[in-house]
DNA sequence: TGGGTTTTAGTTTTT
DNA sequence: CTAAAACCCA
């Protein structure tokens, strides 16, 4: 290889002339600058839909094409694996295949890679396992119970949240203990929980999600020569979605783009050194949009992006404001809403594509009604009836605020025969049977992980009950060995002959599986065995799947099929990653993100949370549950900046839509089994008059004030639908109270029945369902619910106050 | 030890 | 209301 080595060093002056023209084709001036700028630090403030992925990929392609950097000198951090794969393909298409050695991955994947590679340097097992949230919680549960900390008010959730938060701030157990107030019994107990949690992880050779980042930072700080390895290698670091980085991630980036001291530069380096023999810092490019920061709950610190220029005084800032995704109507709505967030740098998205179709609004009686509307519209758009529109299902997405909202949507979609997917919602890997199978695999790779062994000890049933487990655990503790070792010595424990045999059999099986996973010794080289073979061996010899099949239970049959599906996935994984072993498979699964499950062109509608939707785009978007208490969510009311964060969430949702946006809500929502009245979200009011075409408006006759209802969102001047509040919303955070009513919608479907009372046995008439008989009444006052057996429509639950019914 | 029943707790968002 | 967890009995 005879590269021109001088060319590898970044030149602080833009080298526009050298970047191939085709990489700049079709870019607007700021985009062009973002591709061409060369310097230590660059912040690209990329509004929604402003073509940032395009800019980022061309910037990378430019660096490679001009020989400013080898692909292996580039590190690009994305938010999801899906985004990483997409970027990899797009860069490959631009530079013609030569991107081997380039790292494009998520923060977590990159850290795992570094940690596994450097594990031995600081006494860590390279085959450490990654605990997901459920694993962490299971461990914490044991610890809290052990310490009787529950009486102090500790819950698994609160402890987990607190530990996660501390780790994201790079505060480890010891650092926390140093400043803890031990006079407070609760705080003292927490210190103990945190410490034990961490030692348990270490003993199990496991890390939780937050550790992956934090430990990498600690590694770099403790071993400058290890850090230097990566500082020398990565000459260009690019970070996407920078507004959602937390402190630990920020610190990691800072470590990576630090210059290398002369003593850490090998004599034969091919990188140009400074006068003192050191190497200057890598160049850093970050892309983000503070208006789309929606992960504060995960420790994301908006200051990372807002104060970027303070961190890097020489930084260039490029603003991308032209939107290439959405119609002007959609952008107007988005701009208007986000403008209500104070404390933000003004930014106004614009487009050249024209107004487009109006936003469609709909208000259902209930979540089911709302879901039915969505289903009907999807059906119509797909052209099942009209034939005019030929929108593919995968061009449509339905967004929800909370996971529980997917349920009614799912029910209606099934009934309507609309194919759908819920990325991240299926929780395939959280199913008990999958966790069982995975626990076997983890135990094969990491025998120190007692948690996984305990899980499979008696699954399927092999007669190892709590008593036997305790005996094994006691032996393990006594000998200071992992549970896995204790299994081998089961014969010493004077257990029953049957039980002992079962234990030894399991032990032998795990040994055999471990041998297989390491691979056959062909010509002295170890090739990791295919994960499929290992899992198949385990499932066959344990009889796990067979046991499920044998029960004859339909649910167990479904579980057996899930395990088969997992087997298929291991096979598929090996197909796509040829030399990949079991550890790679497990890592891959652990770091899977919800959005990674989205397949393009799979012919189904995607239903997902607003958080999952970040970074995606769809021709048609349904934004559902736009109600007070849901968006903004009740839980956010207490948090500082909560309502603003929720507004950004709303903004993210709106700006995902390319051509059509539907906004819907329900007048009542059920949770915990009872139904309550819901009010339209305050964010709806922030959308300018005329942008929304209400098919069914959130009525609201103004019977209390003297103010005439404003035709806020009536289209074409005709006040067909009206949407107003009695007076203006209070400036205070509280939503309007019971004075507001759902009444007198022009369609006549939404009404106020006053204090109509119904009793069991009454005959009533419903405008949609026809005649029926009241079968039961529950609830009080405005929330009175009647259960009605309709003569033709079957059994329905109705909110008496607003249902379109009359007593006969 | 296993199965069945009662009880209780939980609902924000996620790598 | 639902799902998981605790509890109880055979």
């Amino acid at each position: 290889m005879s590269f021109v080595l001088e060319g590898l060093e970044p030149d602080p002056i833009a080298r526009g002339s050298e970047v191939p023209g085709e990489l700049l084709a079709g870019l607007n001036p700021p985009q062009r600058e973002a591709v061409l700028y060369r310097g230590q630090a660059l912040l690209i403030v990329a509004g929604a839909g402003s073509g940032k992925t395009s800019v980022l990929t061309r910037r990378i392609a430019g660096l490679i094409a001009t020989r400013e950097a080898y692909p292996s000198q580039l590190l690009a951090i994305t938010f999801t694996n899906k985004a990483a794969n997409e970027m990899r393909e797009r860069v490959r298409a631009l530079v013609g295949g030569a991107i081997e050695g380039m790292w494009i991955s998520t923060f977590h994947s990159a850290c795992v890679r570094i940690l596994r590679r450097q594990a031995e340097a600081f006494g860590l097992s390279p085959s450490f396992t990654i605990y997901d949230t459920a694993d962490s919680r299971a461990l914490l549960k044991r610890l809290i119970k052990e310490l009787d900390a529950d009486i102090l008010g500790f819950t698994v959730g609160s402890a987990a949240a607190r530990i996660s938060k501390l780790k994201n701030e790079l505060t480890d157990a010891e650092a926390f203990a140093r400043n803890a107030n031990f006079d407070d019994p609760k705080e003292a107990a927490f210190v103990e929980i945190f410490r034990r949690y961490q030692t348990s992880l270490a003993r199990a050779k496991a890390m939780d999600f937050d550790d992956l980042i934090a430990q990498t930072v600690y590694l770099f700080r403790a071993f400058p020569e290890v850090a230097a390895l990566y500082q020398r290698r990565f000459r260009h670091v690019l970070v996407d979605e920078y507004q959602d980085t937390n402190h630990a991630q920020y610190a990691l980036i800072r470590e990576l783009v630090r210059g290398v001291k002369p003593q850490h530069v090998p004599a034969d380096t091919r990188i140009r050194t400074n006068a003192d023999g050191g190497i200057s810092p890598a160049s850093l490019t970050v892309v983000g949009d503070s208006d789309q920061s929606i992960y504060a709950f995960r420790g994301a610190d908006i200051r990372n992006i807002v104060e970027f220029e303070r961190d890097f005084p020489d930084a260039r800032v490029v603003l991308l404001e032209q939107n290439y995704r959405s119609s002007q109507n959609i952008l107007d709505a988005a701009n208007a809403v986000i403008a209500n967030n104070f404390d933000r740098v003004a930014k106004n998205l614009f487009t050249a594509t024209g107004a487009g179709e109006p936003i469609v609004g709909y208000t259902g009686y209930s979540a089911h009604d709302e879901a039915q509307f969505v289903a009907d519209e999807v059906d119509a758009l797909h052209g099942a009836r009209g034939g005019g529109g030929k929108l593919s299902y995968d061009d449509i997405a339905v967004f929800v605020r909370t996971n529980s909202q997917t349920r009614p949507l799912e029910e209606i979609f099934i009934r309507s025969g609309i194919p759908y997917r819920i990325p991240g919602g299926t929780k395939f890997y959280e199913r008990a049977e999958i966790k069982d199978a995975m626990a076997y695999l983890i135990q094969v790779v990491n025998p120190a992980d007692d948690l996984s062994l305990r899980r499979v000890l008696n699954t399927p049933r092999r007669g190892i009950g709590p008593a036997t487990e305790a005996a094994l655990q006691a032996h393990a503790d006594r000998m200071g060995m992992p549970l896995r070792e204790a299994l081998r010595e089961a014969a010493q424990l004077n257990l029953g002959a049957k039980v002992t045999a079962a234990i030894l059999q399991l032990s032998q099986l795990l040994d055999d599986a471990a041998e297989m996973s390491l691979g056959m010794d062909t010509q002295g080289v170890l090739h990791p065995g295919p994960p499929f073979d290992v899992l198949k061996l385990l499932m066959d010899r344990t009889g796990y799947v067979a046991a499920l099949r044998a029960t004859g239970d339909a649910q167990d049959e479904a579980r057996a099929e899930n395990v088969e599906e997992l087997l298929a996935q291991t096979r598929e994984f090996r197909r796509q990653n040829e030399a990949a072993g079991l550890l790679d498979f497990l890592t891959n699964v652990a770091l899977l993100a919800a959005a990674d499950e989205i397949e393009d062109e799979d012919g189904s509608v995607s239903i997902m949370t607003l958080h999952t939707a970040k970074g995606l785009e769809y021709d048609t978007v349904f934004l559902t549950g736009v109600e007070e208490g849901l968006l903004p969510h009740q839980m956010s009311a207490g948090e500082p900046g909560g309502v603003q964060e929720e507004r950004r969430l709303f903004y993210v949702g709106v700006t995902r839509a390319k051509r059509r946006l539907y906004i819907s809500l329900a007048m009542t929502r059920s949770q915990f089994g009872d139904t309550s009245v819901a009010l339209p979200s305050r964010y709806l009011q922030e959308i300018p008059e005329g942008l929304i075409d209400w098919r069914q408006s959130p009525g609201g006759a103004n019977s209390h004030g003297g103010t005439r209802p404003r035709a806020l969102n009536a289209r074409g001047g005709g006040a067909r639908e009206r949407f107003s509040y009695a007076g203006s919303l209070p400036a205070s955070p509280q939503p309007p109270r019971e004075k507001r009513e759902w009444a007198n919608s022009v369609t006549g479907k939404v009404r106020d029945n006053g204090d109509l009372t119904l009793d069991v046995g009454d005959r009533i008439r419903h405008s949609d369902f026809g005649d029926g008989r009241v079968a039961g009444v529950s609830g009080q006052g405005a929330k009175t619910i009647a259960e009605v057996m309709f003569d033709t429509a079957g059994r329905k639950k109705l909110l008496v106050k607003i249902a379109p019914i009359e007593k006969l």
Side-chain angles (χ1 to χ4, degrees), chain A residues 637-649:
Chain A
E639 323 231 321
V643 172
Q644 296 210 59
E645 170 124 339
E646 298 281 309
R647 188 177 279 111
R648 290 193 291 268
L649 208 42

Side-chain angles (χ1 to χ4, degrees), chain A residues 79-82 295 403 422-427 591-599 608-609 611-613 616:
Chain A
F79 210 67
T80 62
N81 297 301
K82 181 177 193 273
Y295 280 102
N403 285 304
I422 306 183
T426 54
K427 309 271 181 213
L591 299 181
L592 221 51
D596 298 340
E597 292 172 33
I598 299 167
E599 284 171 42
M608 68 185 90
T609 67
H611 285 88
T612 303
L616 306 174

Side-chain angles (χ1 to χ4, degrees), chain A residues 627-677:
Chain A
E627 298 147 28
E628 282 296 308
L630 208 50
L631 189 63
H633 196 277
Q634 200 68 54
M635 286 293 154
S636 70
E639 323 231 321
V643 172
Q644 296 210 59
E645 170 124 339
E646 298 281 309
R647 188 177 279 111
R648 290 193 291 268
L649 208 42
F650 185 88
Y651 176 78
V652 165
V654 167
T655 53
R656 299 305 96 197
K658 290 202 254 188
R659 284 173 56 213
R660 290 190 200 84
L661 175 65
Y662 289 81
I663 293 182
S664 64
L665 62 152
M667 289 182 294
T668 64
R669 203 157 282 272
S670 312
Q671 52 177 359
F672 315 119
D674 58 13
T675 307
S676 55
V677 174

Side-chain angles (χ1 to χ4, degrees), chain A residues 552-572:
Chain A
D553 187 337
Q555 281 200 326
D556 283 339
E557 178 59 33
R559 291 189 183 109
E561 275 165 26
N562 285 331
V563 178
E564 304 279 9
E565 167 66 22
L566 182 67
L567 275 160
Q569 285 187 22
T570 55
R571 186 172 264 166
E572 178 60 25

